[in-house]
Amino acid sequence: MASTYSSDLKIELMATGENSGTWGTKTNNNLNLVQQAVAGYQAIDVASSDVALVMTDGTISNARNAVLKFTGTLAANRTVTIPDSIEKVYNVVDGTDHAGFTLTFKTSSGTGVLLAEGNSYVIFSDGTN
């Protein structure tokens, strides 16, 4: 039986007896992914375009970070999108200069949250909104 991946954090779930000789490497990779989900931080410039965050099976991914800080002076209304089907808590910091525009944080199919310049948020994604 082959490995599968968890639905929310995309951590490798190894099948019993699988990965002989590489179990330590795969476990360390999984622990790095958990660390990113619990304590990861990333600043993301949203000034010039919308941003679609991704969550990839078994690899460091920007949508897995615990803390996301959005930066830049907005040149238009901007949207930051996280993938649907992921249930996760995010600490979001709006470090942008809105310059009269809006910044929205949402799932691909959801309506999301309109962020206010200079504010911080704890946002829960239920996988659809």
Side-chain angles (χ1 to χ4, degrees):
M1 177 178 220
S3 292
T4 58
Y5 291 87
S6 66
S7 59
D8 292 323
L9 293 181
K10 308 297 185 185
I11 294 170
E12 186 173 359
L13 307 172
M14 292 179 274
T16 302
E18 186 182 35
N19 299 314
S20 177
T22 62
W23 198 83
T25 300
K26 290 182 176 276
T27 298
N28 288 341
N29 185 62
N30 278 341
L31 292 172
N32 283 329
L33 299 178
V34 170
Q35 179 176 320
Q36 184 185 27
V38 172
Y41 166 85
Q42 186 167 0
I44 300 170
D45 186 346
V46 295
S48 60
S49 65
D50 291 342
V51 175
L53 303 179
V54 297
M55 180 88 72
T56 307
D57 288 345
T59 61
I60 296 293
S61 303
N62 55 11
R64 190 177 291 106
N65 285 296
V67 179
L68 299 169
K69 180 176 183 179
F70 304 124
T71 63
T73 299
L74 303 184
N77 292 336
R78 297 291 178 222
T79 301
V80 177
T81 307
I82 58 172
D84 282 335
S85 78
I86 294 173
E87 295 176 1
K88 185 172 178 350
V89 174
Y90 290 93
N91 295 298
V92 174
V93 179
D94 183 350
T96 65
D97 176 348
H98 282 208
F101 297 106
T102 62
L103 178 59
T104 303
F105 184 76
K106 67 185 224 56
T107 60
S108 297
S109 64
T111 55
V113 176
L114 193 62
L115 305 179
E117 183 179 324
N119 288 351
S120 298
Y121 303 84
V122 175
I123 299 174
F124 171 69
S125 169
D126 65 5
T128 58
N129 204 3

